[in-house]
Amino acid sequence: MELYDVMRTTFSAREFTDDPLPDEVLFRILDRARFAPSGGNRQGWRVIVVRDARTREGLAAATVPAAKRYAAQVQVGESPWNTIDRTKVDAATIARTPAPARLIEPVLKAPVVLVIGVDLKVVASMDSELERVGVISGASIYPFAWNILLAARHEGYGGTITTLATAQEPAVQALLGLPPHVAVAAVMPLGRPAKAITRLRRKPVEEFAMLERWGGPPLQAGRPA
Ligand SMILES: Cc1cc2nc3c(=O)[nH]c(=O)nc-3n(C[C@H](O)[C@H](O)[C@H](O)COP(=O)(O)O)c2cc1C
């Protein structure tokens, strides 16, 4: 596929056929994904390849609490799990909100689930002393995670970066035997997509790119340099 086509059509696959994803193909995918950039080229990603049914159930159970809160916040029009605006949804409402199946079932049904860890002993977290939620340690991992999805697409497979289970990170660490300094960056179901989505909904450039400063005029196509 042409690069721009891949970029425009690599969607989040959550439903899969029964086709297996053999280790041979998975190896090839990771062997291409490893060329991702990372801060200082530290390559702090670690990957656990999960096929075991009980481990999947553990991952699904770890996903449920965050998925319930996510759904409850969406229902009242909030931007779920953001760290700026406190949620107005109370614990009882979250408790009675069902976890959406589309957020839970992929880890149970995908041929393979990758748990992508980040070794915090090697990744530079340049924002760790700021008084806001950290974003930089993830920045050394998600290019690699995205490369997995691009390579998977090239091989005829697909998947999704998911993060809901990280809200229960200690449970996931215990489930997989991860040491405490290996954080859970993503849980990624992978397989052959049951259907193809080729038209992705994304905001136009003019809505998020502005010239020179916050609030500046939008970047336009065809503007002379
Ligand atoms: C950092 C990150 C976290 C995400 N977490 C989840 C998740 O926990 N569960 C899930 O089903 N999808 C998750 N997604 C997938 C997004 O929902 C998806 O990228 C977005 O809706 C666009 O989907 P599309 O590419 O199919 O249009 C996540 C994506 C990213 C990049």
Side-chain angles (χ1 to χ4, degrees):
M1 285 179 79
E2 203 265 328
L3 177 63
Y4 280 173
D5 287 337
V6 176
M7 290 172 69
R8 293 180 71 110
T9 62
T10 301
F11 65 99
S12 297
R14 296 186 179 85
E15 291 169 46
F16 307 96
T17 69
D18 292 335
D19 285 6
L21 201 177
D23 276 355
E24 184 198 347
V25 180
L26 185 55
F27 189 95
R28 213 159 46 230
I29 289 170
L30 295 179
D31 193 38
R32 304 312 188 266
R34 73 194 167 94
F35 291 99
S38 59
N41 202 19
R42 293 280 165 175
Q43 302 167 62
W45 47 76
R46 306 288 181 259
V47 178
I48 314 278
V49 180
V50 175
R51 291 194 178 90
D52 178 76
R54 291 192 63 173
T55 308
R56 292 157 176 280
E57 279 164 22
L59 291 172
T63 307
V64 167
K68 287 163 76 74
R69 174 172 154 185
Y70 192 101
Q73 287 192 261
V74 168
Q75 272 168 26
V76 297
E78 293 182 354
S79 196
W81 283 94
N82 88 81
T83 57
I84 305 299
D85 303 315
R86 286 182 73 87
T87 181
K88 296 190 176 70
V89 182
D90 59 43
T93 305
I94 294 169
R96 65 170 177 267
T97 304
R102 67 191 281 275
L103 299 181
I104 309 301
E105 285 182 358
V107 290
L108 296 170
K109 296 186 175 171
V112 179
V113 179
L114 304 184
V115 178
I116 303 174
V118 40
D119 186 344
L120 296 175
K121 280 195 182 184
V122 306
V123 161
S125 306
M126 307 311 298
D127 55 356
S128 56
E129 292 177 9
L130 298 182
E131 287 182 7
R132 62 153 170 75
V133 68
V135 299
I136 300 298
S137 14
S140 276
I141 300 301
Y142 294 113
F144 168 74
W146 183 239
N147 260 5
I148 294 175
L149 293 181
L150 294 180
R153 178 137 176 82
H154 186 71
E155 297 280 349
Y157 293 86
T160 300
I161 293 171
T162 82
T163 49
L164 290 163
T166 302
Q168 302 294 316
E169 186 172 81
V172 178
Q173 288 170 320
L175 184 70
L176 301 170
L178 297 176
H181 61 274
V182 176
V184 178
V187 174
M188 181 184 283
L190 275 180
R192 211 177 275 289
K195 56 185 181 211
I197 299 168
T198 51
R199 209 176 161 79
L200 305 183
R201 285 186 303 123
R202 299 291 189 269
K203 291 175 186 167
V205 173
E206 297 85 337
E207 269 190 42
F208 61 80
M210 54 208 93
L211 296 174
E212 305 300 346
R213 53 182 292 118
W214 186 261
L219 174 68
Q220 307 273 3
R223 188 172 169 273

